[in-house]
Amino acid sequence: MSSIIIANATLLDPSEGLDGPGHVGVKDGLIAYVGGDLQAARDAAGEGARELDAGGHMLTPGLIDMHVHLREPGNEAEETIASGAMAAVAGGFTSVVCMPNTEPAVDTESAITFTRREARRAGLANVYPVGAVTAGRKGQELAEMAQMARGGAVAFSDDGSAIPTAGLLRRALSYSKMLGKPILEHCEDESLLDGGMMDEGYMSTALGLKGIPDECEEIIVARDVAMARLTGGHVHIQHVSTANSVDIICRAKESGIPVTAEVTPHHLTLTSDCLKDYDPVYRVAPPLRADVDIAACRQGLKDGTIDAIASDHAPQLEEEKELEFAFAPNGMIGLETTVGVISTALIKNGGFTWAELLPTMTSRPSDILDLGRGRLRVGLPGDLTLIDTEREWVVEVDKFHSRSRNCPFRDWPLVGKAIATVVGGKLVYDADNRCREV
């Protein structure tokens, strides 16, 4: 464990009522002081602590991305646990939650243990593994959920596919409720997906590409809400993309059904019009939708219907993403661009404030997954993110720490960037070399 002082920051944590100048002291990996007295922060951190002058920039709880793909084991050329963790801290994320659709799938306690061990070896971001709901993610029988929970799984998901039947989902939710873990659902009905490649509508017709109707997502969202009502188990809807899905989730919450939801930066900023040149970088599941869907997702963030922003960081090989659109795999990367995209599109130009959006990447994902992080509170892990909200930069994918380059925001000019990341009191990313020995 490490000790550090972050001095002269603008502290922001709506969950703790913090919004103003102050300092933070971390001792032996835990937050020891939060407040306005710099000497008190130094005393709390103790002898041997390093000090970083924040220069008035915004200091937040360590950001949490509750939906990433790290590809290890099986596709390490696309991403490894270590490279994904490095991309995370460079993007300001102190914790990431990795999905189980690796090769083989993460569906046993030993696979959970492997992920946690490799993350510890990397020594960068906290990496929380999610276990598969069904054995091999084949949608036939439940995996060893209790054993995976014992090994450290924070949730269960067959991400990449929806759990195929209501009966199987009912059993999964009943087990997950006993274990105190949510089911994270990728909501696409396979019978309606049927080889579709993009949002169904004018653009898919004009391009001659098979479309995916909104109902492909909405039918599964409605079914999952019904099963959560029936079982009392917590279902979390991943990467919400349609206006009607937002409405279904809103009504479920109003009825007290245990449902939460997330949205991605790309579903908040990009539409199916991006596909006009058949560029496979924009092929993603669920597909990019229409302006009305973006507006609904943004409103869902405003009113609390949608709980979290998550990147769905999905690395793919460059040569695969350069195939013809029909043959290219789904997926976009986002760990190193999420802060900038959200800062630019939603805060600078979209009518949101940092105080409104910060909980969607800190306290709320922590609460959904019971991580015990995401707050500037004495006694919690010393995970911190320093953000220069006015930093202007251009997305240069060749400089990414991720092994993949399939980023839809290539060459975008952005405003707002994470410039330092602290995990457990250890400075793991320092863009401006601000830290000094004291």
Side-chain angles (χ1 to χ4, degrees):
M1 291 296 184
S2 301
S3 301
I4 194 169
I5 303 130
I6 310 295
N8 306 314
T10 299
L11 306 181
L12 182 64
D13 182 1
S15 70
E16 295 292 301
L18 294 171
D19 187 1
H23 322 277
V24 173
V26 179
K27 182 178 177 61
D28 296 334
L30 300 177
I31 296 174
Y33 177 83
V34 179
D37 187 334
L38 178 55
Q39 188 57 51
R42 288 170 172 162
D43 292 342
E47 294 184 6
R50 303 175 74 192
E51 185 167 316
L52 187 151
D53 190 328
H57 294 305
M58 184 173 70
L59 185 68
T60 74
L63 303 183
I64 300 169
D65 190 334
M66 66 177 296
H67 189 160
V68 306
H69 300 268
L70 299 185
R71 304 306 192 201
E72 185 179 6
N75 288 291
E76 288 83 357
E78 297 171 354
E79 199 78 284
T80 64
I81 292 168
S83 68
M86 186 63 236
V89 299
F93 291 96
T94 60
S95 297
V96 294
V97 179
C98 60
M99 296 302 114
N101 54 338
T102 51
E103 297 180 10
V106 178
D107 61 355
T108 63
E109 183 177 2
S110 62
I112 295 289
T113 301
F114 168 82
T115 300
R116 296 181 65 200
R117 183 180 67 243
E118 293 304 302
R120 286 194 299 271
R121 285 178 176 173
L124 295 163
N126 306 300
V127 177
Y128 292 98
V130 171
V133 174
T134 64
R137 292 183 52 256
K138 295 180 180 179
Q140 297 174 0
E141 59 183 7
L142 294 182
E144 301 171 352
M145 295 172 69
Q147 290 92 329
M148 286 189 285
R150 181 179 63 191
V154 297
F156 303 99
S157 179
D158 272 4
D159 185 35
S161 303
I163 297 173
T165 68
L168 188 58
L169 177 59
R170 179 182 185 178
R171 293 194 294 277
L173 280 168
S174 296
Y175 276 110
S176 66
K177 181 183 179 183
M178 289 189 294
L179 297 169
K181 311 289 183 185
I183 298 290
L184 318 181
E185 264 281 76
H186 177 118
C187 294
E188 288 188 302
D189 184 297
E190 287 290 336
S191 65
L192 280 176
L193 190 59
D194 192 28
M197 291 173 275
M198 65 173 293
D199 187 42
E200 183 174 287
Y202 170 81
M203 187 58 68
S204 65
T205 302
L207 296 176
L209 295 174
K210 185 172 178 59
I212 303 170
D214 292 1
E215 288 78 5
C216 179
E217 173 175 302
E218 295 155 5
I219 286 171
I220 301 299
V221 172
R223 180 205 70 175
D224 289 2
V225 164
M227 289 301 100
R229 182 181 62 231
L230 175 65
T231 63
H234 178 182
V235 66
H236 175 83
I237 307 301
Q238 297 179 302
H239 39 50
V240 174
S241 72
T242 79
N244 281 332
S245 289
V246 176
D247 184 58
I248 294 167
I249 295 162
C250 180
R251 288 186 281 111
K253 287 191 167 189
E254 289 173 348
S255 299
I257 298 170
V259 57
T260 53
E262 70 188 43
V263 65
T264 71
H266 47 274
H267 288 117
L268 292 166
T269 56
L270 306 175
T271 71
S272 59
D273 288 349
C274 293
L275 278 68
K276 64 183 185 298
D277 295 323
Y278 298 93
D279 188 342
V281 76
Y282 297 108
R283 181 167 179 175
V284 66
L288 301 178
R289 304 287 188 181
D291 286 326
V292 65
D293 300 302
I294 286 180
C297 288
R298 291 189 179 193
Q299 181 58 40
L301 281 175
K302 275 279 188 184
D303 62 29
T305 298
I306 296 177
D307 303 87
I309 294 173
S311 72
D312 192 8
H313 177 83
Q316 301 288 2
L317 292 176
E318 193 166 4
E319 54 265 34
E320 291 181 333
K321 271 295 191 179
E322 290 177 348
L323 295 172
E324 292 182 30
F325 192 91
F327 301 103
N330 292 315
M332 301 171 171
I333 57 173
L335 277 170
E336 295 173 77
T337 55
T338 291
V339 168
V341 170
I342 295 305
S343 177
T344 306
L346 271 67
I347 296 172
K348 185 174 186 292
N349 299 317
F352 286 85
T353 67
W354 274 108
E356 288 177 308
L357 292 184
L358 185 62
T360 69
M361 296 182 284
T362 54
S363 57
R364 291 182 196 164
S366 177
D367 290 348
I368 289 168
L369 299 170
D370 194 25
L371 303 182
R373 299 178 183 272
R375 290 175 170 83
L376 293 179
R377 180 189 298 172
V378 172
L380 291 187
D383 297 349
L384 310 167
T385 302
L386 185 65
I387 298 172
D388 182 345
T389 60
E390 302 300 322
R391 177 74 58 95
E392 297 181 359
W393 60 291
V394 175
V395 177
E396 299 177 83
V397 298
D398 290 339
K399 295 182 179 179
F400 279 180
H401 295 275
S402 171
R403 289 191 171 187
S404 291
R405 300 289 180 263
N406 53 308
C407 175
F409 305 109
R410 178 191 292 265
D411 297 330
W412 274 38
L414 300 176
V415 179
K417 186 172 178 45
I419 57 173
T421 309
V422 175
V423 179
K426 176 185 175 184
L427 183 66
V428 292
Y429 179 73
D430 183 6
D432 299 335
N433 295 314
R434 291 174 172 269
C435 204
R436 65 185 179 88
E437 304 294 337
V438 295

